[in-house]
Amino acid sequence: MKKIGILGSTGSIGTQTLEIVRSHREEIQVTALAAGSNAALMERQIREYRPQAVALWSEEACRDLRDRVRDLDVKILTGMDGLLEIAAMEEMDALVTAVVGMIGVRPTLTAIEHGKDILLANKETLVTAGHLLMPLAREKQVAILPVDSEHSAIFQSLNGEKKSQVRKILLTASGGPFRGRKRGELEGMRAEDALQHPNWSMGRKITIDSATLVNKGLEVMEAKWLFDVELPQIQVVVQPQSIIHSMVEYVDGSIIAQLGLPDMKLPIQYALFYPERRPMEAPSVDFYELARITFEKPDTETFRGLALAYEAMRAGGSMPTVYNAANEKAVSLFLDHKISFLQIAEIIETCMERHSVIGNPHVDQILETEQWTYELIDGLRL
Ligand code: NDP
Ligand code: MG
C-alpha cells in the first residue's frame, strides 16, 4: 500500500489526483490533505478518503472545517505550521505538491528532509529553490517525479537512455489562447479572455501563465533543474495541438517523444505508479482524425515572459525568485482587473532590472526576495 499526502487537494491537479486514487483504493491510501480555504470540498474529501490529518491555510476556514467534521477522528491543522507538519508525517511515503505558488517551497523541502518522494506539480518551488531541492533530494535519496505534462514526457523519453547522450530537450508549448496575436491586439485583453485555454483545463494562475508564456519560462527552468541540462540545450517548440508533450534529441539525431491527448490524469497516474504503467480508461489519439501536427517558433517579442525567464536563469541566484514572485503578484493583480495583460511582463521586467542578485540564496533569502519583490510592486505607480 502506497501512502500519499496531497498539498493542494482541492485544486485542479489535487482533485484529478484523488480521482485516480478513487479507482485504485486497494493500492493507494491518502494519509494527509491540505488546501487554502475550501472547507466544503475538504469536508467531502475527508469523508471519502479518510486521511489522518488535513490542513487549511486559512484559520477561519479551519474553524469551519472543525465544525463540519466534528463526528470524525481527523487531525485538523492550519497555516504554514500545518503544511510543515503534514509534509513531515511519518506514515506518509510520498507527497504530491499541487499547491500553487511559492507557498510550496518550505513544505516541499521539509518533505524531502523527511525522506518522502515528491510528485512535483508545484513548479514555482523548483524555479526558486531548485539549487537547494535537487541536491537535498540526492542526499536523502528521494525521487522527484514530474507531474507537469512536458516534464513527464521528457522523463518518459529518457527512460533507459544515457543522460550523457542527450543533445537537447525539445519542450513543447501550445502557445496559449493568444498565439499568433501581436502586441497591439493584446492590449485590451481581459482576464476572462486569457482564462480560455484552447487545450487544457487548469487552475486560474497557470492558465494566465500559459497566455503570457511565463508558464513556458517556468518550465524551462523546471527542466533545467529536473534533468540537469544547460540552458542552451533546452529549445521551446510551439505545437498548438498539444499532442506531443515534449521530446528528447540524442547525440545521433534520434528524437524520442511522448504523445497523448491533453489530459493531466496521464502524467499524474504515471508519477503515482512509476516505474509501472497502469491502464487508463480514456480516449487515445486518433491520428486519422487529427490529420496533422504543426510546429512554430515561439514569438518572444510579443510574449516577453519567455525571454525574461531565460534572462532570469542566466542571471541565476535570486533572480528566478524575482521573476516568479513578480509574476505571481502581477497575475493576481491582472485577475483582479487592476492591471492590463501586457503589464504582467512589464512588471516582471521592472522588478528584475531593480534587483541585485544574491548568489546561491538559502531559504530565508529566497523568501525575503519574494517579499522584496511584492513590496517593490506595491510601490509602483501602475
Ligand atoms: P489550482 O488553483 O487549481 O489549485 C491550487 C491548490 O492550492 C488548491 O487546492 C488551493 O486551495 C491550494 N492553495 C492555495 N493557496 C494555498 C495555501 N496558502 N496553503 C495551502 N494550499 C493552498 O492550481 P492547479 O492545480 O492548476 O496548479 C497547482 C500547481 O500545479 C501549480 O504550481 C501549477 O503551476 C502546477 N501545474 C498545474 C497543471 C494543471 O493542469 N492544473 C499542469 C502542470 C502544472 P483552495 O482551493 O482551498 O484555495
Ligand atoms: Mg506544463
Side-chain angles (χ1 to χ4, degrees):
M1 182 70 87
K2 187 169 191 166
K3 295 180 179 162
I4 66 162
I6 307 174
L7 302 184
S9 63
T10 56
S12 161
I13 295 288
T15 51
Q16 293 182 84
T17 306
L18 284 172
E19 278 174 45
I20 297 168
V21 173
R22 183 181 286 143
S23 41
H24 296 87
R25 296 297 282 272
E26 65 300 336
E27 287 179 275
I28 303 176
Q29 189 178 322
V30 176
T31 304
L33 298 172
S37 59
N38 191 342
L41 181 52
M42 185 57 91
E43 178 191 356
R44 291 203 294 281
Q45 294 183 342
I46 293 172
R47 293 193 185 280
E48 178 170 358
Y49 296 95
R50 298 300 167 112
Q52 292 176 23
V54 304
L56 282 181
W57 178 263
S58 143
E59 277 181 35
E60 195 187 330
C62 186
R63 278 194 294 276
D64 177 19
L65 183 66
R66 282 206 178 97
D67 251 13
R68 288 168 177 268
V69 295
R70 240 178 315 185
D71 57 316
L72 299 178
D73 179 23
V74 54
K75 190 169 185 183
I76 300 180
L77 305 159
T78 189
M80 182 51 79
D81 288 345
L83 296 186
L84 296 180
E85 189 169 331
I86 283 190
M89 272 173 73
E90 202 172 316
E91 302 79 2
M92 192 174 73
D93 306 315
L95 184 67
V96 181
T97 62
V99 284
V100 58
M102 283 184 69
I103 199 82
V105 171
R106 291 183 59 205
T108 308
L109 290 171
T110 300
I112 299 172
E113 279 283 358
H114 287 81
K116 318 295 176 199
D117 286 338
I118 304 294
L119 279 63
L120 187 121
N122 178 233
K123 59 190 90 183
E124 295 91 345
T125 287
L126 206 49
V127 163
T128 56
H131 61 291
L132 304 175
L133 193 150
M134 295 310 289
L136 185 64
R138 275 192 291 276
E139 183 195 324
K140 300 286 174 184
Q141 296 186 330
V142 306
I144 307 291
L145 297 164
V147 166
D148 209 346
S149 58
E150 293 79 0
H151 304 76
S152 176
I154 296 162
F155 189 66
Q156 294 181 54
S157 302
L158 287 166
N159 245 345
E161 300 290 337
K162 287 204 179 85
K163 215 205 115 236
S164 58
Q165 295 178 340
V166 171
R167 186 185 279 161
K168 64 179 172 188
I169 282 177
L170 298 150
L171 188 74
T172 54
S174 70
F178 301 150
R179 182 178 60 87
R181 311 239 186 141
K182 292 294 167 201
R183 287 184 74 81
E185 298 169 87
L186 293 179
E187 245 144 41
M189 286 302 163
R190 294 159 311 142
E192 294 69 28
D193 307 310
L195 284 169
Q196 304 298 322
H197 196 283
N199 305 337
W200 296 96
S201 156
M202 310 179 283
R204 284 158 63 85
K205 191 247 174 192
I206 184 174
T207 306
I208 303 299
D209 289 351
S210 299
T212 55
L213 287 203
V214 165
N215 183 50
K216 214 42 62 180
L218 296 172
E219 289 185 354
V220 168
M221 304 196 219
E222 190 184 1
K224 185 199 171 315
W225 288 117
L226 278 175
F227 306 113
D228 191 23
V229 288
E230 298 302 321
L231 267 198
Q233 283 178 283
I234 307 172
Q235 185 181 356
V236 174
V237 180
V238 177
Q239 196 277 279
Q241 299 80 13
S242 296
I243 294 295
I244 303 181
H245 297 311
S246 277
M247 315 179 249
V248 178
E249 182 180 318
Y250 290 91
V251 284
D252 59 355
S254 283
I255 295 170
I256 300 183
Q258 186 255 343
L259 285 70
L261 289 177
D263 179 352
M264 283 309 295
K265 287 222 187 78
L266 215 156
I268 298 172
Q269 178 170 298
Y270 187 75
L272 276 172
F273 291 104
Y274 178 80
E276 290 185 37
R277 221 180 252 288
R278 290 300 157 87
M280 192 151 105
E281 293 299 323
S284 53
V285 181
D286 179 340
F287 284 96
Y288 295 159
E289 180 74 22
L290 176 69
R292 64 183 63 80
I293 304 177
T294 56
F295 302 95
E296 293 166 21
K297 194 175 171 183
D299 175 0
T300 50
E301 292 287 315
T302 307
F303 300 95
R304 294 275 301 137
L306 181 56
L308 289 168
Y310 276 90
E311 277 177 36
M313 199 71 197
R314 275 192 291 269
S318 54
M319 196 59 101
T321 295
V322 174
Y323 173 88
N324 179 73
N327 178 61
E328 284 190 28
K329 177 98 178 174
V331 169
S332 88
L333 290 170
F334 175 65
L335 285 169
D336 289 344
H337 302 101
K338 301 229 168 78
I339 59 166
S340 69
F341 182 76
L342 291 174
Q343 275 181 294
I344 299 174
E346 285 165 19
I347 289 174
I348 300 173
E349 188 158 23
T350 303
C351 293
M352 284 174 57
E353 276 166 9
R354 300 208 193 161
H355 184 64
S356 311
V357 175
I358 306 165
N360 208 16
H362 50 67
V363 178
D364 290 344
Q365 289 172 315
I366 291 171
L367 300 177
E368 280 157 25
T369 302
E370 178 190 27
Q371 223 35 57
W372 174 88
T373 309
Y374 292 164
E375 283 162 24
L376 176 63
I377 297 173
D378 285 340
L380 293 177
R381 214 172 292 148
L382 296 168

